[in-house]
Amino acid sequence: MPTLTIEPVTRIEGHAKITLKQDAHGEVTDAHFHVTQVRGFEKFCEGRPFTEMPALMARICGICPVSHLIASAKACDAILAVHIPEAAEKLRRIMHLAQFVQSHALSFFHLSSPDLLLGMDCDPAKRNILGILAANPEMARDGIRLRKFGQEIIELLGGKRIHPGWIVPGGVSEPLTVERRDKILRELPEAKETTLRTLKWFKGTMEKFRPEIRTFANFPSLFMALANPQGALALYKGWMRFVDADGNIVADHIDGADYQHYIGEAVESDSYLKSTYFKPMGYPEGMYRVGPLARLNMCKHIGTPLADEEFAEYRELERHSVWSSFYYHYARLIELLFAVERIELLLNDPEILSKHVRAFAGPNNYEGVGGAEAPRGTLIHHYKIDEDGLITSANLVIATGHNNRAINKGVLQVAKHFVKGSKIQEGMLNRVEAVVRAFDPCLSCSTHAAGQMALHIELMEEDGTVIDVMRRH
Amino acid sequence: MAKILVVGYGNPLRGDDSFGHRAVEQLKQEVKGREVEFVDCQQLTPELAEKVSNAELVLFVDADMDGVAGSIHSRRIEATAGKNSDSLVHHLDPCALLGLSHTLYGRAPESMLMTVTGECFGYGTQLSTEVSKALPGVVHHMKELIQEKCGDAVHA
């Protein structure tokens, strides 16, 4: 049986390959998404003092260090058994939202917009950020500006853009100054305007992508995200909820500390990425999706005026939950708008300048679980410590792991639809990569250049004879 | 009024690769004035393009690996169109950053790249002896360039 290998998958965070199997008629019969790198963070933090964990965990990822900081600090809050000051929670929320802005801007503008603006079949030599610069410099400027806006907030609060250490067990290390607050507020109108302009552009272009909308991981599945009593988008705090493809709640009010009763973690021999599943349904039937699509399927409203208007329009896409993973892009932009609006609301709260931003305590529990929504989906950190406060075990459940089964299924769906025959065409394979990009996976949870990586594809007969080769340099 | 941007970059945890940061740190002590802005960062990223486009002179400071340890190189650089498109996502070289500045904001200002050949790029926050010796010379050279542009508007 011929096997196609796409390696590496480009314009994603981290290193992966895809293998496609074809039958004698050139029809794709099987597909796998393999993550080919291993990190080992869970292992090498054993023996470290738990108070070091937020700063250590931020090093996992250069794109979403703040999500790891927050999940880690919340796990440590649980070990301390403290309620952090309200101002500290609001400040953490601002930094968290700023990270959504910069991460979603990276995903949409830098990684996916070449496909969306220039087309899936565009010459790969042009289908990149340089192509965007040439075709629509305003869009390129918008992407850079929005990402910068998010990064600058992180820097203003945390002292640096990447791996800030400001979020600590018990709260944050320093209060916000008036000058810094006002500086962020001055930048907000432009960020809002840019996001609205991008949403308008995206909605206007969706019609061109009917085949992709129909086939990009467009199937019923469970969805999981944090939920709150107001039914609004819950990014920082909430309980875990699972809904089915029709939007019916199948499990609700799950405390983060009980995640292991509902979430199982499976390991496949061909990938370093764990696959999580909804335990009551078993593996692999318990496949579910997380991230922007799941979050918008979960909430009844977003919680800010402009984002709610956009959400009302978004909900008209389907009667049931939105299934097509192509709409991750759309959901991502609505979340981006929410983040900008919510940052403004939080900064205008008088309590945000409070000097009381940290609670102090020693360890009062031997175990703590912390969770939050990361840009790509629900993130869980679970630590156990000994009586000296040293980590004895750490388990990290990362968003891309939740989506792993759905990504695999989506790759198969797209490949079956677009990849046919013994002659490989670039556009076919780009769509297989693009469905992966829609999920915005962060495979390494670390900084990796998405740089110019060679693509080497071989189409082989059953006996291993190479019948077609494609190289991209 | 002249506006000068000084950008020191490199990995501050990799020995001599922290040279750019050290140079910026030192220069900040010796040059004051609203006309000079300092940036120290790990990598050059697209988000710097707008700032670069607003400057009249940009001084990039880095470590290099070409030559005898501690030797100083200073050269004028020009904007280039990016060849490695996907790398624009995460990091750029100074010429590509100037190219991006020109494409996006219509300006690629006069720019100099100053580098010192490093010896040790292993884990650590210390500069090697030869690279440490080169630091005052680089800072002095940058001060001269700044004063040439701004005259007495900047001072120690």
Side-chain angles (χ1 to χ4, degrees):
Chain A
M1 186 177 289
T3 301
L4 276 165
T5 304
I6 302 175
E7 183 178 20
V9 181
T10 56
R11 280 187 282 131
I12 59 169
E13 293 298 336
H15 304 303
K17 68 174 182 178
I18 292 168
T19 53
L20 310 175
K21 288 193 191 308
Q22 289 179 298
D23 64 15
H25 308 290
E27 296 289 329
V28 173
T29 56
D30 200 7
H32 290 280
F33 174 64
H34 316 265
V35 177
T36 54
Q37 59 185 117
V38 65
R39 302 297 306 288
F41 265 79
E42 290 166 326
K43 205 65 198 161
F44 68 64
C45 63
E46 287 176 9
R48 305 304 309 172
F50 79 95
T51 48
E52 285 183 1
M53 289 301 277
L56 271 178
M57 292 298 106
R59 256 66 185 180
I60 292 177
C61 183
I63 303 299
C64 47
V66 178
S67 298
H68 286 285
L69 262 176
I70 284 176
S72 181
K74 286 171 88 171
C76 294
D77 296 342
I79 289 171
L80 300 175
V82 293
H83 286 289
I84 70 168
E86 268 188 49
E89 183 178 314
K90 287 173 181 168
L91 287 166
R92 282 184 181 182
R93 282 177 187 268
I94 292 174
M95 187 182 261
H96 191 214
L97 291 160
Q99 192 205 258
F100 268 75
V101 173
Q102 71 90 5
S103 176
H104 279 0
L106 175 76
S107 171
F108 185 82
F109 290 97
H110 293 61
L111 303 179
S112 289
S113 73
D115 296 327
L116 302 172
L117 179 72
L118 307 170
M120 300 281 173
D121 294 303
C122 175
D123 177 356
K126 295 179 183 162
R127 197 183 56 226
N128 50 48
I129 194 74
L130 285 178
I132 298 291
L133 289 176
N136 191 339
E138 187 184 19
M139 178 179 261
R141 278 194 293 271
D142 282 351
I144 289 171
R145 202 175 291 130
L146 263 180
R147 185 146 192 253
K148 190 175 163 206
F149 170 71
Q151 287 178 330
E152 280 183 350
I153 295 174
I154 294 169
E155 190 175 14
L156 280 167
L157 295 175
K160 53 184 180 173
R161 292 173 178 212
I162 303 171
H163 308 142
W166 173 75
I167 293 174
V168 292
V172 299
S173 59
E174 275 182 60
L176 179 64
T177 62
V178 176
E179 295 72 27
R180 289 178 181 183
R181 179 197 62 182
D182 292 349
K183 186 168 173 20
I184 301 169
L185 281 170
R186 279 196 296 275
E187 305 286 329
L188 266 156
E190 188 188 53
K192 202 185 292 180
E193 194 183 309
T194 306
T195 309
L196 285 167
R197 183 165 56 238
T198 308
L199 260 163
K200 189 177 173 191
W201 176 84
F202 180 77
K203 287 186 288 184
T205 202
M206 279 197 308
E207 196 51 41
K208 288 194 289 190
F209 293 96
R210 282 287 143 209
E212 286 79 12
I213 290 169
R214 217 166 38 241
T215 55
F216 270 34
N218 185 9
F219 42 70
S221 73
L222 298 175
F223 296 95
M224 192 266 280
L226 297 184
N228 60 30
Q230 298 79 32
L233 184 63
L235 299 181
Y236 178 82
K237 190 158 82 175
W239 62 76
M240 287 156 59
R241 175 186 284 169
F242 286 85
V243 298
D244 67 16
D246 295 319
N248 303 309
I249 294 173
V250 296
D252 203 9
H253 295 281
I254 303 167
D255 188 280
D258 294 330
Y259 78 96
Q260 286 174 320
H261 293 122
Y262 294 88
I263 295 174
E265 296 180 82
V267 176
E268 295 281 359
S269 59
D270 59 7
S271 179
Y272 285 116
L273 183 61
K274 291 186 284 192
S275 298
T276 58
Y277 61 97
F278 182 54
K279 252 185 182 172
M281 287 174 69
Y283 183 75
E285 288 75 17
M287 174 190 77
Y288 59 90
R289 282 179 271 181
V290 297
L293 191 79
R295 290 192 286 256
L296 264 57
N297 278 337
M298 196 73 64
C299 61
K300 292 186 171 62
H301 62 104
I302 302 289
T304 54
L306 294 173
D308 271 331
E309 280 179 30
E310 294 292 340
F311 181 61
E313 193 179 336
Y314 172 88
R315 291 298 292 158
E316 287 171 10
L317 290 172
E318 303 285 355
R319 283 185 182 175
H320 47 62
S321 298
V322 177
W323 291 353
S324 172
S325 292
F326 186 86
Y327 290 127
Y328 265 102
H329 299 301
Y330 192 177
R332 199 167 281 128
L333 290 176
I334 294 173
E335 287 193 338
L336 214 160
L337 181 59
F338 164 76
V340 173
E341 287 186 285
R342 189 86 175 96
I343 288 170
E344 187 173 24
L345 288 168
L346 285 163
L347 286 172
N348 284 318
D349 182 332
E351 200 185 8
I352 206 70
L353 297 173
S354 167
K355 304 285 183 232
H356 180 43
V357 293
R358 189 170 184 181
F360 293 91
N364 288 300
N365 289 312
Y366 287 118
E367 193 168 353
V369 176
E373 287 291 335
R376 293 155 186 84
T378 317
L379 172 66
I380 300 166
H381 281 221
H382 180 190
Y383 310 146
K384 291 179 184 170
I385 60 167
D386 64 17
E387 51 198 24
D388 297 318
L390 303 179
I391 296 286
T392 57
S393 129
N395 189 34
L396 313 178
V397 187
I398 310 286
T400 302
H402 297 297
N403 277 333
N404 196 12
R405 289 303 308 162
I407 293 173
N408 272 277
K409 194 172 172 183
V411 164
L412 179 60
Q413 186 181 33
V414 171
K416 273 178 176 286
H417 187 82
F418 289 103
V419 182
K420 291 180 192 300
S422 59
K423 196 72 188 166
I424 307 160
Q425 288 175 17
E426 172 68 32
M428 297 176 180
L429 296 169
N430 185 44
R431 285 175 173 84
V432 177
E433 291 185 86
V435 70
V436 177
R437 286 183 206 118
F439 285 89
D440 188 24
C442 189
L443 305 176
S444 52
C445 260
S446 180
T447 305
H448 279 258
Q452 186 68 17
M453 298 189 282
L455 176 69
H456 181 193
I457 303 155
E458 291 181 343
L459 182 60
M460 290 180 285
E461 296 281 14
E462 275 173 300
D463 62 0
T465 310
V466 176
I467 57 173
D468 196 7
V469 177
M470 177 176 278
R471 289 174 197 274
R472 186 198 297 158
H473 296 288
Chain B
M1 185 76 71
K3 186 174 177 196
I4 298 172
L5 180 66
V6 181
V7 184
Y9 61 100
N11 186 338
L13 301 176
R14 284 282 195 164
D16 289 341
D17 202 26
S18 66
F19 182 80
H21 296 267
R22 296 301 187 83
V24 164
E25 201 175 289
Q26 187 63 40
L27 194 63
K28 268 185 187 173
Q29 307 300 315
E30 301 188 21
V31 170
K32 309 278 184 201
R34 283 188 304 172
E35 295 74 20
V36 186
E37 184 176 354
F38 299 94
V39 170
D40 53 348
C41 52
Q42 193 138 326
Q43 295 172 325
L44 302 179
T45 57
E47 288 75 29
L48 282 170
E50 190 172 7
K51 206 181 271 285
V52 164
S53 75
N54 289 327
E56 285 191 14
L57 171 68
V58 184
L59 305 177
F60 293 98
V61 200
D62 190 14
D64 68 36
M65 298 174 76
D66 308 317
V68 180
S71 55
I72 299 171
H73 309 105
S74 172
R75 64 180 193 276
R76 191 170 296 277
I77 54 170
E78 306 282 343
T80 56
K83 293 177 215 157
N84 185 353
S85 61
D86 285 340
S87 73
L88 290 181
V89 172
H90 285 291
H91 60 90
L92 304 156
D93 64 45
C95 297
L97 178 59
L98 289 170
L100 194 62
S101 163
H102 185 263
T103 309
L104 288 176
Y105 305 105
R107 279 197 79 238
E110 177 189 353
S111 299
M112 300 286 293
L113 172 63
M114 266 144 291
T115 58
V116 168
T117 304
E119 188 172 36
C120 174
F121 292 93
Y123 296 116
T125 55
Q126 300 300 311
L127 296 177
S128 63
T129 310
E130 293 307 312
V131 171
S132 289
K133 283 184 195 164
L135 185 61
V138 170
V139 171
H140 179 72
H141 182 47
M142 287 197 290
K143 268 172 69 179
E144 283 181 338
L145 290 168
I146 291 168
Q147 275 164 350
E148 215 172 86
K149 200 81 180 169
C150 300
D152 293 334
V154 295
H155 57 275

